[in-house]
Amino acid sequence: MIDAGDTAWLITATALVLFMTLPGLALFYGGLVRAENLLSVLMQCFTIASVVTVLWLLAAYSLTFSGSGAWIGDLSKVLLIGVPRDAAAANTKIPETVFFMFQMTFAIITPALIVGAFVERMRFGAVVMFSVLWLFLVYVPVAHWVWGGGWLAERGVLDFAGGLVVHLTAGVSALPARHRARPRLGFPHDVRPPHAPWMTMVGASMLWVGWFGFNAGSALSAGADAGMAMTVTHISAATATLVWIVIETVKFGKPSMVGAVTGAIAGLATITPASGYVGPGAALVIGLAGGSVCYLMVMVVKHRFRIDDSLDVLAVHGIGGAVGVLLAAVFADAALGGIGLAEGRTMGGQVLIQLTGLIAVLIWSVVVSFIIIKLVQALVGLRVSAEIEEQGLDLNIHGERGYNM
C-alpha cells in the first residue's frame, strides 16, 4: 500500500538531490575554475542531468532495479512499461515512479562529479560520450550489485546512500579520465586560483542542504531512520569543516573559504555510506576522519604525486567514500550506538565484507573507465587545443561568456 507521508518525504528528497546537481554541484565546480571556463562546467552538469534522465528511462533503471541477476538486472521495466501508476516499489510504501525519480537523481550526480577531474580542458562531446558509456558500464552494474539485489547485497555490504555506488565509483573513475586528458597547462606551478570562491561556497551550501535528501531520503520512509540519517549527516559535515579550518589555520595562519567548504564536502561524502547505520557520536568521529584523511590526500595527490586532480574528486569523494564504507562496519555495531550488525556477524567479519565490496568496485570502476576513456579518445578526441585551453572553453566551444562586462 502507498503511504502518503512516505511518498511526500521521498518527493521532497528527490527534489533536494536534484538540487544538489542543479545548481549546487554546478556552482561549486564553477567557482573553482577560471572565469573563462565557468559556462563550460555549468553546461556539462546541465547536459549530464538531461542525458542521464533519458537514458535512465530507456534502460538504465530497468537494468539496475529489475530482475534477480547477481551481476545485472533485466529489461522488464524499460520505459516503465508495465509499471502501474499506483504500484509500490519493492519493499517500500512509495510509488515506483517516485522511487524511479529518486534513484535517477543519484545516477545524475555521479557522472557529474567526475567532471571535476578534467575541467578546463576536455572536449564537450567527449564529456557527454564518456558520461553515457560510464553510466551503463560502471554506475548501473555497481548500483545493481549493491542496491538492486546483486552479489554485494547478498553478501551483506553496507552502503546506505552511496559510499560505494556514488563516491568511490566517481572518485576512482576520475583517475583514468584525468590521466588520458593530461594536466592543465601550467600545472602544478602556474595554475590560476579559483575565480569565484563565493560561488563555490554557495554551491557547497546547496550541496549540504541537498544532502539531507541524499542520505535521509535513502531511508525510503519518513521515520526514525530518516531522522537519524539527517542528524548524523549534518554533524559529520560540520565537524569536517572545523577540521579543515583548524588545519589550514595551523599550517598557513589563515583559514580559506574554499578549504572550509571542501572540508564540508569531505565530511558529507564520508558519512554517506554509514548514515543510516550509526549514531551521533559516531558522526563526530567520522567527520574527524573524513576531514583529516581527505585533507591529507589532497596534499598527497597534488603535491607529492603531482596528479592534476583538478577539483579533488579522488581525494575527497573517492577517499572519503572509502573511509566511510569501512567505518560503517565499525560504528554500525550496537555497542557503539549503531543499529546493530546482522545476526551472527562480528565487526571484523563486516569489515571484511566491506573491504570486499570496496576492492571489487574500485577495480571494476578503474578498469572499465580506462577502456571507456580510450574508446572516447579514439572516436572524438579528449583534449581541446592548447590555444582553446589558454583562451578558455566558454567562448570557443559554447559561443558565450560567463561574464559580459
Side-chain angles (χ1 to χ4, degrees), residues 330-344:
V330 176
F331 291 106
D333 194 302
L336 297 176
I339 62 170
L341 299 172
E343 186 176 354

Side-chain angles (χ1 to χ4, degrees), residues 225-276:
D225 289 341
M228 182 59 78
M230 180 174 69
T231 300
V232 299
T233 296
H234 190 70
I235 292 170
S236 180
T239 304
T241 299
L242 296 176
V243 168
W244 214 284
I245 289 172
V246 170
I247 291 175
E248 287 195 335
T249 301
V250 171
K251 188 171 183 178
F252 305 111
K254 297 177 182 179
S256 69
M257 183 77 259
V258 170
V261 299
T262 304
I265 301 304
L268 291 164
T270 307
I271 193 64
T272 290
S275 56

Side-chain angles (χ1 to χ4, degrees), residues 339-384:
I339 62 170
L341 299 172
E343 186 176 354
R345 187 166 295 159
T346 65
M347 184 187 297
Q350 188 65 52
V351 168
L352 288 177
I353 292 172
Q354 299 297 96
L355 192 59
T356 299
L358 195 158
I359 293 172
V361 171
L362 188 153
I363 293 173
W364 179 266
S365 300
V366 170
V367 172
V368 176
S369 295
F370 180 79
I371 296 171
I372 292 171
I373 204 70
K374 287 281 287 184
L375 179 62
V376 172
Q377 185 175 32
L379 293 176
V380 300
L382 295 178
R383 185 77 175 250
V384 299

Side-chain angles (χ1 to χ4, degrees), residues 5 35 52 207 250:
V52 171
L207 285 167
V250 171

Side-chain angles (χ1 to χ4, degrees), residues 37-381:
N37 295 315
L38 167 61
L39 288 184
S40 71
V41 175
L42 303 185
M43 183 67 172
Q44 288 167 13
C45 291
F46 206 81
T47 303
I48 287 171
S50 301
V51 169
V52 171
T53 295
V54 174
L55 297 177
W56 193 247
L57 174 65
L58 291 178
Y61 172 73
S62 186
L63 289 170
T64 305
F65 289 105
S66 65
S68 56
W71 299 98
I72 197 69
D74 58 34
L75 296 175
S76 61
K77 294 183 179 179
V78 167
L79 294 170
L80 291 181
I81 293 173
V83 176
R85 180 183 292 258
D86 59 350
N91 303 314
T92 74
K93 295 182 179 180
I94 61 172
E96 185 156 7
T97 51
V98 176
F99 181 77
F100 167 89
M101 285 293 299
F102 180 67
Q103 291 296 339
M104 178 199 293
T105 60
F106 284 68
I108 284 171
I109 197 170
T110 310
L113 288 172
I114 304 175
V115 166
F118 44 67
V119 291
E120 304 191 290
R121 59 197 186 276
M122 185 82 89
R123 295 172 184 265
F124 178 68
V127 173
V128 175
M129 182 178 291
F130 176 84
S131 299
V132 169
L133 295 173
W134 191 88
L135 174 73
F136 281 110
L137 298 178
V138 177
Y139 183 84
V140 166
V142 172
H144 179 76
W145 298 350
V146 178
W147 293 337
W151 69 280
L152 288 179
E154 291 177 352
R155 285 175 175 262
V157 163
L158 300 177
D159 185 9
F160 191 73
L164 290 173
V165 178
V166 176
H167 297 290
L168 185 64
T169 58
V172 300
S173 294
L175 273 172
R178 181 171 46 244
H179 172 70
R180 299 304 301 178
R182 304 188 311 279
R184 290 167 290 175
L185 293 176
F187 179 86
H189 301 298
D190 190 29
V191 175
R192 286 165 57 181
H195 90 280
W198 69 267
M199 185 183 296
T200 297
M201 181 271 173
V202 171
S205 300
M206 293 174 175
L207 285 167
W208 189 329
V209 173
W211 226 291
F212 295 145
F214 201 84
N215 288 357
S218 292
L220 300 179
S221 64
D225 289 341
M228 182 59 78
M230 180 174 69
T231 300
V232 299
T233 296
H234 190 70
I235 292 170
S236 180
T239 304
T241 299
L242 296 176
V243 168
W244 214 284
I245 289 172
V246 170
I247 291 175
E248 287 195 335
T249 301
V250 171
K251 188 171 183 178
F252 305 111
K254 297 177 182 179
S256 69
M257 183 77 259
V258 170
V261 299
T262 304
I265 301 304
L268 291 164
T270 307
I271 193 64
T272 290
S275 56
Y277 310 122
V278 304
L284 277 173
V285 178
I286 291 172
L288 286 167
S292 55
V293 173
C294 290
Y295 182 89
L296 175 63
M297 288 307 300
V298 169
M299 298 298 106
V300 169
V301 169
K302 284 187 173 177
H303 301 293
R304 183 180 179 85
F305 295 111
R306 296 179 182 268
I307 298 174
D308 190 9
D309 187 11
S310 308
L311 307 185
D312 303 320
V313 182
L314 170 63
V316 171
H317 295 281
I319 300 301
V323 170
V325 165
L326 295 177
L327 291 180
V330 176
F331 291 106
D333 194 302
L336 297 176
I339 62 170
L341 299 172
E343 186 176 354
R345 187 166 295 159
T346 65
M347 184 187 297
Q350 188 65 52
V351 168
L352 288 177
I353 292 172
Q354 299 297 96
L355 192 59
T356 299
L358 195 158
I359 293 172
V361 171
L362 188 153
I363 293 173
W364 179 266
S365 300
V366 170
V367 172
V368 176
S369 295
F370 180 79
I371 296 171
I372 292 171
I373 204 70
K374 287 281 287 184
L375 179 62
V376 172
Q377 185 175 32
L379 293 176
V380 300

